[in-house]
Amino acid sequence: MRTEITPNFADLGHVISNLIPATRVALMVSAALVLGLSACGQQKDSPSVMLDDQANIEPSVAIKVNEIASAKAIKDINIWPQQAPAINVNPELEHKIATLLATMTLEQKVAQMIQPEIRDITVEDMRKYGFGSYLNGGGAYPNNDKHATPADWIALAEQFYQASIDDSLDGSSIPTMWGTDAVHGHNNVIGATLFPHNIGLGAANNPQLIEQIAAITAKEVMVTGIDWVFAPTVAVVRDDRWGRTYEGYSEDPRIVRDYSFAIVEGLQGAVTGDFLTDQHVLSTVKHFLGDGGTEKGIDQGDNIASEQDLYAIHAQGYVGGLSAGAQSVMASFNSWNGEKIHGNKYLLTDVLKGRFGFDGFVVGDWNGHGQVDGCTNESCAQAVNAGLDIFMVPTAAWKPLYHNTIDQVNRGEIALSRIDDAVSRILRVKFRAGLFDKPSPANRPLSGKTELIGQQSHRDVARQAVRESLVLLKNKQNLLPLSPKLNVLVAGDAADNIGKQSGGWTITWQGTDNQNSDFPGASSIFAGIKNTVENAGGSATLSVNGEVDAANKPDVAIVVFGEEPYAEGNGDIDNLEYQRGDKRDLALLKKLASQGIPVVSVFISGRPMWVNAEFNQSDAFVAAWLPGSEGNGVADVLFTNPEGKVQYDFKGKLSFSWPATPQQTTVNRPLDNSSDVAAKAYSPLLPYGYGLDYQSNLSEHIRLEGLSEDNLSATQTLEDLALFERAVKSPWSMFIATATQREGLSSSVASNSALTIRTMDRVVQEDARLVKFNGTELGTVGLLSNFPRDFRAFSDTKTALSLSIKVDNPLTHPLWLGMACEGECRPQYDIAGLVKPGEWQNLSVSLNCFKQDTMDFSKIVSPFYLATTAKVQLSFSDVVIQAHQQQDTVQCD
Ligand code: BGC
Ligand code: BGC
């Protein structure tokens, strides 16, 4: 019963190309309905189509159920203390805004609210529409050239700016603004100074340093003619499975609040002093609200915190950032109790603009409005009505969105007063930023000062940040600090890999596909060691695999290893075990330790991970996080000077608790006001604030010895995972497809040339779907996520994919039940022979039936689909990954 036909998942290419910029360029996927081939993508000779790469999954209609529930939640605005605006109302400025606004047409106003992306507009579009702002996404550069020079960046900024003030087509001469993700330095630009990612800065816990970093970032950004930065991220990360954990400073709101103030001040200047002078850029505090607290750490998922916790934990970065005068706030992809923030009037308007007194603007996140119930990327009055001021609409959707928004105002679905409020906010920020008076981007004081990009004094600050971010977790018998006169072996695949030590959001969006040569002026960790040691008369040899020259046995081995780069949901994992199922680095540590060589581990990671076995094998262990371009900061701390004196002691302290088991994913220091019960339950391996230094006493140094290496997977109680139960569960959304096209569902009825689908009531409202396949071609219906999901826990043991299904007429062709992982793997199983026409039945199919050569359970993009060429009407509901097989589970082995 193994697969014989492969329904084409061509459009999964959309999803995948959204994930990995490198593959977006020419993702060629088979478009044919391929008969007689086995699954998992052996579709060599089939015709290919080029796909446009920006299709987005619309949320399924089924999300409604949750939202109805949350609408009823009681909200208490008094939880949010009233904050005074950071900047007093300036009547003169308000008059200017009102005067300008009065001259604007509706079209010009809506254009201010549209933020397209450089890959999807031309300079002529800017001339014609006069967008209020535009962005470049992660890994987007002028002319699509990764090696674009600062001059190329300035040229593009200048062209867009000139087109925006050219009123010949749109009658508007309001200058546009360019926003960019400079999240650890100006990270899309070759040669820029790259600071440690936020998790490392949190360990450094040094707000003055952070302000300096922000001020430097502002300068390097301005060299390229850019006005505005989408930082800081002030997520208070509660579950370390989240792929954006490293973008957070801490699991504790205090550091986040203080840093947010310092960064905003560093980027924008102080409200009472050098605010938004020509040495500063606009900042964005993001992502409002609750991004770091989603259930199971699922990116863009649902935060179910109480309103009190939403304030006390998740909103503290806004308390800090807004009091420093942040001029923009980015709405978050996540939901709060089932309701997407982009459509949440209570939080965006009542709380943020009301209680926080925020008078700047709210910018959306990357088509985030399209995820609001009832919205698409092309149309979303709800978001504007909720308080969104600028749509970030990075795809071709900008044009229909612009027209639809205008129509919605004309039809009265959006009040003109709301538009006027949004545009006033945008203009207020533009006036404050001096945009109307400043010279054009090419002529500003810092533009073109290329010597500032990666300038030595900037790198020195980054190097200091690296030193201060290192956290020493183990130091048996005071192995560290090392003498630079030793014979040092440097091993591990992160030792001489600047891309890996820099993590995601590094030149490319995911931080992958980079080489050391893409980082002129930077240093790898190995380079720093080599330099330190050789200057003192020692020697350093690089061997990634730890090959030891028997004739020249090293005195010590420094092994630099850790996570591969990732960004956003691509980094989501389902438990914290490092190198689960593939302990290559542990083997490397063992190989060295077994030869009697003292081992220093330097661990590169975007989060604390369960590395008990690696701790056991290391004499010293340093958590280095994602240090960025100045790898030489590591050697500064590991080695003494030639005279044996400590150069820099360790300063870093854990700003995230370190887990005792792979499953301890939400281990967070109890807040002051938390109950004793919660405090007692706090039992991490290493607590928040932990970190040794060269003064620590010896007994502390041996804490990480003889740790349990049992990953508990056998005893772990795996639970059923509901995919579609009454509603489609986050992060999945329902789609329909033919062999060549796929679309998300945005209403209760949808069809394509192969099938029609509609919601139906089986037990409760809309808990099932009715699908009519017309038999003319291959049709598919299933669930999809924007990001690959880690299902390894389920593949390790006896589990099943189950659903309730009713087929209304006998089947003449196979009916495929399938799953899909990233890439071209589509294992599927024919269930035609298992279903009896005319009755509802529960079907449970062992996950073994989907275990095929190229199946990768760590990267599931579709956990369920049904596909057929048969003419058949069927209904289905209750799709679940079962943690335990049933008696009647269909077996495949
Ligand atoms: C991220 C934001 C980022 C934006 C623009 C989004 O996917 O969530 O943090 O600012 O992309 O690149
Ligand atoms: C884009 C990146 C962008 C990211 C935001 C990706 O599809 O290629 O430029 O930053 O989406 O989520």
Side-chain angles (χ1 to χ4, degrees):
M1 282 243 268
R2 280 280 159 107
T3 327
E4 269 154 10
I5 104 174
T6 303
N8 197 294
F9 255 77
D11 291 51
L12 271 181
H14 288 320
V15 177
I16 291 154
S17 63
N18 253 339
L19 302 176
I20 307 161
T23 62
R24 25 182 313 150
V25 190
L27 200 107
M28 308 289 285
V29 277
S30 162
L33 194 176
V34 192
L35 288 161
L37 292 178
S38 63
C40 285
Q42 297 145 10
Q43 307 166 344
K44 286 191 216 87
D45 302 322
S46 53
S48 299
V49 282
M50 178 89 81
L51 290 163
D52 107 87
D53 59 359
Q54 290 289 3
N56 248 309
I57 322 287
E58 307 307 343
S60 151
V61 288
I63 288 167
K64 270 185 200 150
V65 175
N66 273 340
E67 300 198 349
I68 292 162
S70 80
K72 294 192 192 119
I74 299 157
K75 291 164 182 157
D76 179 5
I77 196 79
N78 295 317
I79 285 177
W80 309 84
Q82 181 72 52
Q83 258 184 243
I87 304 171
N88 290 336
V89 178
N90 172 346
E92 205 182 314
L93 170 64
E94 295 306 312
H95 179 71
K96 263 175 86 181
I97 296 167
T99 311
L100 177 53
L101 187 74
T103 67
M104 293 171 73
T105 63
L106 176 59
E107 286 71 16
Q108 291 166 350
K109 290 175 183 173
V110 171
Q112 288 297 312
M113 300 171 68
I114 298 281
Q115 179 178 87
E117 208 255 1
I118 59 168
R119 286 168 290 190
D120 272 289
I121 47 159
T122 61
V123 172
E124 288 319 302
D125 289 329
M126 180 63 89
R127 201 180 315 281
K128 179 161 173 205
Y129 294 89
F131 308 111
S133 60
Y134 62 102
L135 88 150
N136 69 301
Y141 335 90
N143 316 315
N144 269 322
D145 175 9
K146 174 172 170 177
H147 293 273
T149 62
D152 297 327
W153 288 83
I154 293 170
L156 189 63
E158 183 69 14
Q159 284 174 42
F160 278 134
Y161 174 92
Q162 293 300 346
S164 74
I165 59 167
D166 175 349
D167 61 3
S168 60
L169 299 177
D170 60 349
S172 165
S173 55
I174 300 176
T176 192
M177 302 186 283
W178 181 345
T180 195
D181 291 295
V183 298
H184 64 138
H186 197 5
N187 46 255
N188 289 297
V189 174
I190 296 284
T193 310
L194 300 180
F195 297 92
H197 266 297
N198 291 350
I199 192 168
L201 299 181
N205 199 1
N206 181 347
Q208 285 83 40
L209 176 66
I210 262 54
E211 186 174 337
Q212 257 180 300
I213 290 175
I216 291 170
T217 303
K219 290 209 172 73
E220 296 202 12
V221 165
M222 278 183 292
V223 172
T224 57
I226 298 180
D227 316 277
W228 173 17
V229 161
F230 300 135
T233 295
V234 297
V236 177
V237 182
R238 306 302 281 176
D239 189 322
D240 302 348
R241 288 174 290 187
W242 190 33
R244 305 190 81 158
T245 297
Y246 67 83
E247 295 189 57
Y249 302 108
S250 177
E251 69 193 25
D252 187 284
R254 278 162 278 207
I255 293 184
V256 177
R257 185 193 48 219
D258 296 350
Y259 270 25
S260 182
F261 187 97
I263 294 194
V264 169
E265 207 166 79
L267 290 169
Q268 296 192 158
V271 176
T272 48
D274 54 351
F275 192 60
L276 293 174
T277 62
D278 54 17
Q279 305 289 305
H280 294 101
V281 291
L282 292 164
S283 74
T284 305
V285 192
K286 70 185 188 183
H287 311 81
F288 187 87
L289 182 65
D291 50 352
T294 57
E295 273 205 291
K296 301 187 176 149
I298 291 176
D299 191 42
Q300 309 189 0
D302 190 18
N303 186 322
I304 56 167
S306 68
E307 191 170 358
Q308 180 58 44
D309 282 352
L310 203 58
Y311 171 69
I313 299 176
H314 300 290
Q316 291 305 303
Y318 301 88
V319 172
L322 297 181
S323 50
Q327 292 296 293
S328 80
V329 167
M330 190 182 290
S332 188
F333 279 123
N334 67 272
S335 313
W336 181 42
N337 290 317
E339 190 178 347
K340 285 282 174 184
I341 305 286
H342 278 70
N344 190 319
K345 180 162 193 266
Y346 178 71
L347 291 176
L348 294 183
T349 299
D350 302 348
V351 169
L352 177 59
K353 295 177 177 175
R355 304 299 280 195
F356 278 112
F358 174 59
D359 65 1
F361 59 74
V362 177
V363 60
D365 196 354
W366 203 267
N367 277 337
H369 58 274
Q371 297 189 20
V372 174
D373 184 32
C375 289
T376 62
N377 294 345
E378 292 80 19
S379 169
C380 192
Q382 291 90 318
V384 180
N385 288 333
L388 189 81
D389 302 310
I390 295 182
F391 285 111
M392 184 188 286
V393 53
T395 56
W398 65 261
K399 201 182 278 182
L401 182 68
Y402 164 82
H403 290 294
N404 286 330
T405 306
I406 292 170
D407 291 348
Q408 284 153 352
V409 180
N410 287 329
R411 286 200 301 266
E413 289 162 33
I414 302 173
L416 187 59
S417 56
R418 176 70 267 276
I419 299 287
D420 285 345
D421 172 55
V423 177
S424 300
R425 288 168 176 276
I426 297 165
L427 296 177
R428 184 174 298 126
V429 172
K430 289 188 172 184
F431 277 119
R432 281 178 180 160
L435 217 62
F436 292 90
D437 307 318
K438 270 188 193 175
S440 67
N443 298 300
R444 295 179 188 159
L446 298 181
S447 357
K449 291 216 154 61
T450 51
E451 66 277 12
L452 288 174
I453 301 237
Q455 196 185 57
Q456 192 53 49
S457 64
H458 297 178
R459 293 187 185 278
D460 291 344
V461 173
R463 183 169 174 170
Q464 177 190 348
V466 173
R467 290 193 293 262
E468 296 194 12
S469 67
L470 303 175
V471 185
L472 179 63
L473 302 181
K474 179 176 182 179
N475 192 15
K476 199 171 164 183
Q477 286 161 3
N478 287 349
L479 174 61
L480 296 178
L482 300 169
S483 156
K485 298 188 170 149
L486 299 177
N487 174 12
V488 184
L489 176 74
V490 184
D493 65 5
D496 194 28
N497 188 336
I498 302 171
K500 186 159 171 165
Q501 80 195 23
S502 300
W505 298 104
T506 297
I507 309 180
T508 62
W509 176 41
Q510 292 294 316
T512 48
D513 305 316
N514 295 318
Q515 264 135 39
N516 282 358
S517 57
D518 292 324
F519 300 91
S523 58
S524 70
I525 292 173
F526 169 67
I529 295 172
K530 184 172 151 75
N531 193 40
T532 304
V533 169
E534 289 183 351
N535 283 341
S539 66
T541 312
L542 176 69
S543 166
V544 171
N545 301 324
E547 296 310 330
V548 173
D549 175 359
N552 179 26
K553 197 172 157 193
D555 301 314
V556 63
I558 300 177
V559 187
V560 192
F561 61 97
E563 288 190 291
E564 292 302 328
Y566 51 79
E568 301 190 45
N570 281 29
D572 287 4
I573 47 176
D574 76 351
N575 79 40
L576 295 176
E577 180 174 353
Y578 177 63
Q579 284 188 339
R580 177 157 153 213
D582 172 19
K583 300 270 182 221
R584 273 172 298 141
D585 291 324
L586 179 61
L588 172 59
L589 300 177
K590 282 185 174 161
K591 175 164 107 180
L592 294 164
S594 68
Q595 297 171 68
I597 303 169
V599 172
V600 178
S601 288
V602 176
F603 187 51
I604 299 295
S605 73
R607 54 191 140 211
M609 301 198 80
W610 186 71
V611 285
N612 276 11
E614 290 82 0
F615 279 141
N616 288 339
Q617 291 301 323
S618 309
D619 296 283
F621 195 104
V622 177
W625 316 111
L626 300 166
S629 62
E630 306 314 299
N632 46 13
V634 174
D636 291 347
V637 185
L638 297 188
F639 290 90
T640 64
N641 70 9
E643 289 71 49
K645 269 191 62 190
V646 170
Q647 315 180 78
Y648 298 96
D649 201 347
F650 281 92
K651 281 195 170 168
K653 305 284 175 209
L654 293 180
S655 62
F656 285 77
S657 308
W658 201 280
T661 69
Q663 291 76 26
Q664 201 183 45
T665 60
T666 47
V667 58
N668 297 309
R669 164 206 209 182
L671 294 172
D672 292 343
N673 56 3
S674 73
S675 66
D676 280 340
V677 186
K680 269 186 211 137
Y682 177 64
S683 57
L685 179 69
L686 299 170
Y688 182 95
Y690 188 81
L692 307 172
D693 59 28
Y694 292 144
Q695 268 75 54
S696 309
N697 69 41
L698 274 172
S699 59
E700 273 292 322
H701 293 187
I702 56 170
R703 184 163 178 161
L704 302 176
E705 288 278 293
L707 298 173
S708 162
E709 298 188 12
D710 179 1
N711 66 11
L712 302 182
S713 62
T715 54
Q716 183 194 349
T717 44
L718 200 60
E719 286 171 16
D720 284 0
L721 179 71
L723 305 171
F724 171 44
E725 217 174 49
R726 297 185 72 154
V728 175
K729 301 294 181 186
S730 171
W732 312 107
S733 56
M734 205 170 283
F735 73 96
I736 55 174
T738 63
T740 52
Q741 270 189 333
R742 193 205 75 233
E743 64 196 287
L745 305 184
S746 54
S747 77
S748 54
V749 186
S751 57
N752 60 23
S753 53
L755 62 86
T756 299
I757 184 168
R758 66 175 182 80
T759 55
M760 60 169 278
D761 303 350
R762 189 182 163 203
V763 181
V764 298
Q765 300 93 309
E766 303 195 346
D767 63 343
R769 295 290 181 276
L770 176 72
V771 196
K772 290 180 195 172
F773 292 92
N774 60 29
T776 58
E777 60 180 302
L778 181 73
T780 305
V781 52
L783 299 174
L784 208 54
S785 155
N786 271 321
F787 304 111
R789 298 289 158 192
D790 185 352
F791 272 36
R792 284 175 294 181
F794 292 100
S795 73
D796 286 352
T797 140
K798 286 196 161 297
T799 54
L801 170 59
S802 76
L803 74 156
S804 292
I805 185 166
K806 175 163 149 306
V807 174
D808 294 339
N809 54 291
L811 278 153
T812 49
H813 295 278
L815 174 60
W816 303 106
L817 175 66
M819 299 179 87
C821 73
E822 196 177 62
E824 283 291 297
C825 75
R826 315 275 175 266
Q828 47 185 358
Y829 186 81
D830 181 10
I831 56 169
L834 302 173
V835 288
K836 289 187 222 89
E839 58 190 64
W840 276 101
Q841 64 190 100
N842 295 326
L843 205 63
S844 167
V845 177
S846 165
L847 278 205
N848 275 342
C849 301
F850 307 96
K851 275 191 187 156
Q852 302 181 3
D853 300 350
T854 57
M855 183 58 167
D856 179 354
F857 279 96
S858 74
K859 294 213 169 337
I860 300 295
V861 286
S862 171
F864 157 79
Y865 66 81
L866 290 169
T868 188
T869 54
K871 181 170 194 302
V872 62
Q873 171 169 308
L874 61 81
S875 329
F876 67 92
S877 68
D878 298 313
V879 185
V880 175
I881 302 283
Q882 295 176 316
H884 305 285
Q885 298 187 349
Q886 315 295 300
Q887 264 189 341
D888 56 358
T889 294
V890 178
Q891 299 297 337
C892 280
D893 43 13

